[in-house]
Amino acid sequence: MASLQQSCLTLATKFPSFCSFSPTPNTFKFLHPFPSSAISLTATTPKRISSFVPKAAASTAAFPQDIGDVLADVTIFTATGQSVKFEDLWDQNEGVAVVALLRHFGCPCCWELAKALKETKERFDSAGVKLIAVGIGAPNKARILAERLPFPLDCLYADPDRRAYDVLGLYYGIGRTFFNPASAKVLSRFNELREATKNYTIEATPDDRSGVLQQGGMFLFKGKQLLYAWKDEGTGDHAPMEDIFDICCKVPVA
């Protein structure tokens, strides 16, 4: 744990724009750009926190067979502010969709993943796969990322209440956010993170600060059938993109 914390502090020092104050072992600002009213890590842990349970990150076995039906009824927002249900985002019979649940819009790792998704969108399009990226925060926060990264507005959605995250059982809490060993993956992507955050701003952080403790995940659906599921173990623990493409290429698209 100590080596992970030291590595995090080293990376934080290389990203001074992410930190409004000097990093300490309790405040990894490069992962979560809290303003001066930051959540204290010594505060009571929110009730939504998930315990650490070993898992196969890409297994669909932990999800009920009707997870597609449950998710279909969840309402989120387009980046321009219109409410929309998941069932309206892709063909619920035969359509294939990659649903990427990012962290909050003010997280540098969220920007890094969004950039990677944007760069692979053409490949998704050629495979007949729809890309859906959902982040935590209000639609105006989504627009900040879309404009400054940039990222295509028609693929970006906002889930300020984290309803989809709850339905899919994604991890939440202080431990997952700051201290999970899986977050060490970020250290191997230093150049990608730096490139993605050239125009980064802390203003994209959601007003509801509880959202910054939420982890994301990656899901692949054909209609309502879940084909692939990845739950981020910690901040920056993104699904391997090639795993997604390996499945996309095997799924016949109507």
Side-chain angles (χ1 to χ4, degrees):
M1 184 63 67
S3 61
L4 174 61
Q5 293 180 1
Q6 185 58 48
S7 298
C8 289
L9 293 175
T10 299
L11 187 55
T13 302
K14 294 181 180 180
F15 281 98
S17 63
F18 294 168
C19 305
S20 59
F21 57 86
S22 298
T24 72
N26 288 331
T27 50
F28 298 148
K29 299 282 295 265
F30 80 101
L31 292 176
H32 266 307
F34 290 125
S36 57
S37 59
I39 295 176
S40 171
L41 296 190
T42 60
T44 301
T45 302
K47 293 181 180 179
R48 296 162 61 111
I49 188 169
S50 298
S51 59
F52 293 106
V53 179
K55 65 172 182 60
S59 172
T60 62
F63 296 86
Q65 291 187 347
D66 65 344
I67 188 63
D69 291 299
V70 178
L71 184 65
D73 199 45
V74 173
T75 298
I76 54 177
F77 297 90
T78 67
T80 53
Q82 287 77 40
S83 62
V84 61
K85 288 187 175 183
F86 270 90
E87 65 182 2
D88 297 321
L89 299 183
W90 74 91
D91 179 355
Q92 296 288 286
N93 294 315
E94 295 295 332
V96 179
V98 168
V99 180
L101 276 80
L102 313 173
R103 297 188 67 249
H104 68 88
F105 291 117
C107 174
C109 292
C110 167
W111 289 49
E112 179 213 358
L113 178 55
K115 184 175 185 294
L117 290 170
K118 181 187 71 171
E119 291 173 348
T120 54
K121 184 178 182 300
E122 183 176 345
R123 194 171 171 187
F124 283 128
D125 290 343
S126 64
V129 177
K130 184 168 183 179
L131 173 61
I132 297 165
V134 182
I136 300 165
N140 66 306
K141 303 296 185 178
R143 292 195 296 274
I144 292 174
L145 182 147
E147 292 165 5
R148 296 179 71 101
L149 188 57
F151 190 87
L153 274 177
D154 60 346
C155 296
L156 190 60
Y157 299 85
D159 186 3
D161 298 321
R162 292 173 281 147
R163 293 174 179 171
Y165 296 76
D166 283 346
V167 164
L168 293 167
L170 299 185
Y171 296 120
Y172 181 91
I174 290 171
R176 290 284 178 182
T177 299
F178 296 102
F179 303 114
N180 193 285
S183 295
K185 291 180 180 180
V186 175
L187 302 176
S188 67
R189 305 196 306 268
F190 178 84
N191 291 332
E192 290 88 343
L193 188 62
R194 179 175 57 186
E195 180 67 24
T197 53
K198 283 183 176 179
N199 295 317
Y200 170 84
T201 174
I202 198 173
E203 295 302 318
T205 305
D207 295 331
D208 179 359
R209 295 296 188 254
S210 65
V212 301
L213 297 178
Q214 179 70 60
Q215 296 303 318
M218 190 85 70
F219 300 85
L220 177 63
F221 288 91
K222 181 177 182 182
K224 294 182 180 180
Q225 181 186 3
L226 180 62
L227 302 178
Y228 176 93
W230 175 282
K231 296 167 65 173
D232 294 353
E233 293 278 359
T235 301
D237 179 35
H238 303 155
M241 204 66 71
E242 286 305 316
D243 288 359
I244 306 294
F245 286 119
D246 284 347
I247 299 176
C248 287
C249 293
K250 296 176 183 177
V251 177
V253 178

